Each structure stands twice: as C-alpha cells, then as structure tokens.
Amino acid sequence: MIEKGSTIMYVKTVEHEALVGPPKTVTELCFQRCTWCTTAVLRTSLLCPVCASTDLEWVSSKGRGRIHGSVTVRRQGARPRTMAVVDLGDGVRLRGAVDGVAPGLAPYGAPVSVLEITPDGVPVFELEPPLRDDW
C-alpha cells in the first residue's frame, strides 16, 4: 500500500548510438522535480501540485534504493513474480518487479538496483549483495 504523499517515479528511456557495433539502448529512471519547492511530481504534469509553479525539470535517478514492501503477483498461465515498492535514494518511491527472488521472499529493507526496464515501462530490480565490513 502506498502512503499518502509518497511519490511514484515514471520511466523515461533515452536511445544512444554506439560508435562501434549495433546501437545500444540506455535506459534511465527519470522524474520531474519542481525547481521552486523541490517537490517530486507524482505524474508528468505542467504544474507543480504543491506550489503551482511551471518550472519543472527532469531529474535522473541513480536507480538504487531499498525495498519498502513486496507482494507476489500470480496470473493464470504465467509464473508468479515478485512486485515491490522501492524507496530510492533520491527521495522518491517507485513500484517495480524484483528479479532473482523466490515469490514471497523479498526482504524488507534489502538494497536493490535497477537491472533493466521492460518494454511496457516497468523497472526490474535486482538484489545487491550484502556488504561485508566485518572481514
């Protein structure tokens, strides 16, 4: 469940051509942020929902965050997949799939990073390995 006042990020894909080899598609997570009040805008909009400013800019995200909550989605004829709400380090909350996790076993607070963006615009995250500082 998404809390009131949380922010959902949209995905903007940018295509770049490589100098050698076939063209590569570089995907980046982007959202709009108001330059006046620094509010992350929930949907692509012309006006900030807080201060009604028209000065909105696209901001790229690093794509790293922590799992806030997860649920297993089961559809007839398809394998179950884990969907999660992820709190990114940029201060926005994003919904996406988690790859490499058994259904129902996505741990709360686990660090994740963006693996890919599906053709329908859903970001796919992967769990990051835990850091071992005690070695």
Side-chain angles (χ1 to χ4, degrees):
M1 181 175 183
I2 298 175
E3 299 172 7
K4 185 177 180 181
S6 62
T7 317
I8 302 294
M9 187 182 342
Y10 284 82
V11 178
K12 177 178 150 185
T13 59
V14 180
E15 190 171 16
H16 299 284
E17 290 188 14
L19 297 176
V20 178
K24 297 179 180 179
T25 302
V26 178
T27 57
E28 57 183 351
L29 294 173
C30 294
F31 59 95
Q32 284 184 309
R33 187 174 297 278
C34 177
T35 58
W36 285 84
C37 66
T38 68
T39 300
V41 180
L42 179 65
R43 302 190 187 278
T44 303
S45 177
L46 297 174
L47 296 173
C48 173
V50 175
C51 69
S53 170
T54 58
D55 292 332
L56 299 174
E57 64 180 358
W58 284 99
V59 179
S60 290
S61 172
K62 294 178 184 171
R64 298 181 67 179
R66 295 193 174 273
I67 294 178
H68 181 75
S70 65
V71 66
T72 301
V73 177
R74 301 178 195 281
R75 294 194 177 165
Q76 186 174 0
R79 65 182 183 97
R81 66 180 184 169
T82 302
M83 297 296 291
V85 176
V86 177
D87 288 327
L88 294 176
D90 304 317
V92 292
R93 188 168 282 175
L94 172 66
R95 177 180 50 168
V98 181
D99 191 35
V101 177
L105 295 179
Y108 176 81
V112 292
S113 60
V114 174
L115 177 65
E116 66 177 344
I117 309 295
T118 62
D120 57 345
V122 176
V124 178
F125 293 94
E126 66 178 346
L127 290 175
E128 292 182 353
L131 296 175
R132 295 283 187 173
D133 291 337
D134 56 346
W135 287 94

